[in-house]
Every structure is written in C-alpha cells, then in structure tokens.
Amino acid sequence: MIKKVLPFLIIAVLIVSCKSNKESTATNGDNSMTSLDWNGTYVGTTPCADCEGIKTVITLKTDLTFTKKTQYLGKSTDVYTENGSFSWNKAGSTVTLKADGASYNYLVGEHTLTHLDLSGKKITGDLADSYILKQQGTDTLKDMPWKLVELRGKAIENASKQPYLILATEDNRVSGNTSCNGFGGEYELLEGNRIKFSKMMHTMMACPNMSIENEFMQVLEVADNYTVVNGVLNLNKGRMATMAKFEVDYFVN
C-alpha cells in the first residue's frame, strides 16, 4: 500500500514546489528594479505654488546614488543641487531618494519617474501628468539643450551668456545663443551622420567679447558631419579635428 501511495505523494510535492517557485518569481523577479533600464537621467517641470514651475533633473546611478537639480522658473535662475542615496521598496516599483534630511518618493516606470505624494501615492487631478519626469537617451541628438563647451580645441571662457544650440524635431529648426545674440535657422540631417546648416539669422546686440560668437557662427557655416558619444556632441568638417564640442545642460537659457 505504501509503495502505491508514495509516487502520488512525490508528484504532489513537486506540483506544490513548482507553483511556489512560479509565485516567487512573479513576486520578486518581474518588477521595475529588475526588468527596466532605470539608471539614467530624468527631466520634467513639476507644478509650483508660487512660480511658473519647478524644472527638475534627476540622475539615478547603478550604485544607488542620485543627483537632483531643481530650478524655480520665473522666480530665480539659481540651480539647486542635491546628492544622496536611494533605496527600492520591497515590491521593486518605487524609489525613495534621501539627502540632507529630505526624502522624495518616485514610481519607476518605462522611461519615466512619477513624483508621489507624502504618503507614497500617485498625485491625481488635472496636473497629474505634470509630475512625470521622462528619461533621456544618452546619445539623443534632437530637442536637447546642447551647451557649447569647446571651440577649435579651446574651452569656452568669459562669455557674456552661455552659448548653446537646440536642434528641434519640429520643422528641423535650430536655435540658441551665440554668447551674445540669439540665433535661428534650419538644419538637415543626411546619411552617414552628415549635417547641413542654413544661413543663421540673429539679433544685433553688441557685447564686450564677440570672438566666441564669430567663431561659433563660422563653425555652423562649414560643419558637415557630427558624432554623439557618451553625451558629447561634436561638430566636424570632413575628417579634420573637431571644431566644436557640446554637452547637454538642461538649465541653459
């Protein structure tokens, strides 16, 4: 009798064990922490009670540290920086950022961070979508604020304003600042990382140092190819040395 019952007991144990393993995998293995490429930079503008909005840039790193930068639009040009560590909740769905006694909760989604209220719940209402920060690509070219950091091998120094450019997706428009004047025009992307800029229109202000502006505009006139590597945009002509280097700065204006 025991020999007949034993096989059934073994099968029952195996079934229970298999079911338990599946439940454990579903609970612990398939979540935002383990399934998403969550490390990176997230950008957005959240609502503000006494300003136009809070521009927020959060970078999450694989070593569980973060950098959070904020700017109160229409109120101040200052950028506040916080550094600290973060932890995941047991479900692997939200992170808590801690720095200097402050803590912030975010729901981690597919290329998004959603700011949660003090009780860890989603904020509802008409402004709910305004609390979502979007993850930025590391080698993205368009719609990024590219800050000019180097011209013909020389670092940008003593500029009246920060020179930059933005290559907009819509209508292939390029705009920015020369370090003195605002400028605008069009660009065209071709095969083989080739790029072509139209003649630029710009304002006619006079500044103490116009050399950066003049060289910047000359680069846009002759540049015919580009590369984006590790968040650095290079404008080149043929196979010559890089003429201009840019880095993303979400607070440039």
Side-chain angles (χ1 to χ4, degrees), residues 186-200:
E186 297 179 347
Y187 71 96
E188 183 180 5
L189 298 181
L190 305 169
E191 291 184 5
N193 276 25
R194 290 182 295 152
I195 191 168
K196 182 179 180 180
F197 293 97
S198 69
K199 186 175 180 60
M200 297 296 158

Side-chain angles (χ1 to χ4, degrees), residues 49-66:
D50 59 352
C51 67
E52 297 173 5
I54 305 174
K55 193 168 188 176
T56 305
V57 177
I58 295 176
T59 299
L60 300 181
K61 303 175 183 178
T62 54
D63 63 357
L64 299 185
T65 62
F66 76 91

Side-chain angles (χ1 to χ4, degrees), residues 25-36:
T25 300
T27 302
N28 300 318
D30 190 14
N31 54 41
S32 298
M33 181 176 65
T34 59
S35 302
L36 300 180

Side-chain angles (χ1 to χ4, degrees), residues 38-90:
W38 50 262
N39 57 300
T41 299
Y42 299 78
V43 179
T45 300
T46 59
C48 176
D50 59 352
C51 67
E52 297 173 5
I54 305 174
K55 193 168 188 176
T56 305
V57 177
I58 295 176
T59 299
L60 300 181
K61 303 175 183 178
T62 54
D63 63 357
L64 299 185
T65 62
F66 76 91
T67 298
K68 180 181 180 181
K69 295 183 178 182
T70 52
Q71 183 183 50
Y72 291 80
L73 302 178
K75 187 176 182 180
S76 173
T77 58
D78 294 337
V79 177
Y80 301 93
T81 301
E82 297 174 272
N83 295 294
S85 60
F86 67 91
S87 58
W88 290 85
N89 67 346
K90 291 182 179 180

Side-chain angles (χ1 to χ4, degrees), residues 150-212:
E150 187 176 296
L151 262 177
R152 302 187 188 278
K154 296 181 180 179
I156 299 301
E157 297 177 344
N158 302 320
S160 299
K161 295 181 179 179
Q162 176 60 58
Y164 72 95
L165 63 77
I166 297 176
L167 303 171
T169 300
E170 186 176 359
D171 298 329
N172 282 359
R173 299 289 300 174
V174 57
S175 61
N177 192 283
T178 64
S179 77
C180 179
N181 290 284
F183 71 89
E186 297 179 347
Y187 71 96
E188 183 180 5
L189 298 181
L190 305 169
E191 291 184 5
N193 276 25
R194 290 182 295 152
I195 191 168
K196 182 179 180 180
F197 293 97
S198 69
K199 186 175 180 60
M200 297 296 158
M201 303 292 290
H202 56 79
T203 56
M204 301 296 290
M205 291 177 57
C207 295
N209 181 6
M210 300 294 289
S211 61
I212 296 176

